[in-house]
Amino acid sequence: MANITFSEPAREQESGIFFRKACNTSSPKARLLLLHGVGSNEANLASLAASLPDDIEVLLLRGPLQVGPQGFAWYQVNFTSNGPSFSYEQAEGSRKLLQTFIEALPKLPTVIAGFSQGGIMSSSIGVTEPELVKGFALLSGRMLREIEPQIASAERLKSTSAFIAHGQRDGVLPIDWAKEADAWLDRIGVAHETHHYDMAHEITGDELADFSRWLTKTLLLAD
């Protein structure tokens, strides 16, 4: 999907979420939603699209909370010695907005993926509303333990799959979070693949290549 150009930000009416869209074809076969991390914005993940398969519509979503001049978040978080401290009410509010956003779109096989906090939100949608997405991806993210009571039944989760990618040198969200997510998805019966890379809290070319392969398999080669 080289030379891809994203639209100016538009506001989805039902959810109020701002997003940018790009597609190389007038009749996409599938859709990818990309969610940024805390303090960033939707343009931050635009460069990922160049590594992704054609025939996929890519939407970059902006978090609803403004935390800086060009910085947004899905919920407020502070990193403490005991791990991240955050507002679950805000996280839950954003999860519901994302659900509304997806439901308002024309129907297409969809994957939701994100970096860091964006990955957290992607997994929250994937395990609670599996009918909305074919798969979800955590890129240097984690799963919220607080979401457990809302996780869908094993029967409903059969239809979705997941991709976990994490850096062995991640100093923001240590790799133990990825290992916990991997074990959790095993336990609840979500088919997934997990990749660990020699990287920090970032996205690398090797990771993007693996993600693109998984995306093709999940969205374009599915039944």
Side-chain angles (χ1 to χ4, degrees):
M1 205 184 270
N3 304 320
I4 190 161
T5 306
F6 282 90
S7 65
E8 288 301 305
R11 184 175 180 270
E12 194 285 308
Q13 222 166 357
E14 298 295 319
S15 63
I17 288 178
F18 282 90
F19 70 100
R20 297 173 189 254
K21 181 164 82 169
C23 191
N24 273 350
T25 171
S26 57
S27 52
K29 292 179 181 170
R31 176 185 294 124
L32 171 65
L33 310 180
L34 285 173
L35 280 56
H36 63 77
V38 65
S40 185
N41 62 58
E42 76 282 0
N44 189 249
L45 296 180
S47 59
L48 268 65
S51 312
L52 301 177
D54 288 320
D55 295 337
I56 291 181
E57 175 183 280
V58 181
L59 304 186
L60 308 174
L61 277 60
R62 180 189 299 174
L65 297 174
Q66 186 150 11
V67 293
Q70 297 296 322
F72 297 85
W74 301 96
Y75 56 85
Q76 290 168 305
V77 62
N78 294 306
F79 292 94
T80 72
S81 55
N82 296 322
S85 165
F86 72 101
S87 166
Y88 183 64
E89 291 75 21
Q90 288 176 348
E92 181 58 11
S94 285
R95 188 188 70 82
K96 288 177 177 168
L97 287 181
L98 286 167
Q99 180 180 344
T100 301
F101 181 90
I102 297 169
E103 288 171 343
L105 296 173
K107 292 280 180 279
L108 269 180
T110 297
V111 157
I112 186 167
F115 176 72
S116 196
Q117 193 181 81
I120 294 171
M121 295 310 304
S122 298
S123 68
S124 290
I125 282 287
V127 298
T128 61
E129 303 294 336
E131 293 83 7
L132 295 180
V133 292
K134 298 284 290 181
F136 59 94
L138 294 100
L139 311 178
S140 302
R142 70 184 184 102
M143 287 177 64
L144 296 182
R145 293 167 179 166
E146 292 80 358
I147 204 85
E148 186 152 23
Q150 293 168 258
I151 288 178
S153 66
E155 188 60 35
R156 290 172 62 201
L157 289 168
K158 276 183 189 170
S159 62
T160 193
S161 63
F163 179 90
I164 298 172
H166 216 97
Q168 291 161 330
R169 296 181 284 108
D170 193 326
V172 179
L173 289 173
I175 198 165
D176 282 354
W177 287 113
K179 294 174 181 174
E180 179 176 303
D182 179 71
W184 199 352
L185 292 180
D186 273 342
R187 198 164 66 245
I188 62 176
V190 173
H192 63 285
E193 52 184 73
T194 300
H195 300 262
H196 298 161
Y197 303 92
D198 180 21
M199 65 179 189
H201 196 63
E202 59 187 320
I203 294 174
T204 65
D206 286 348
E207 175 186 7
L208 273 181
D210 289 336
F211 175 59
S212 185
R213 275 191 291 272
W214 174 82
L215 202 60
T216 298
K217 187 171 62 180
T218 304
L219 284 178
L220 302 177
L221 304 180
D223 294 335

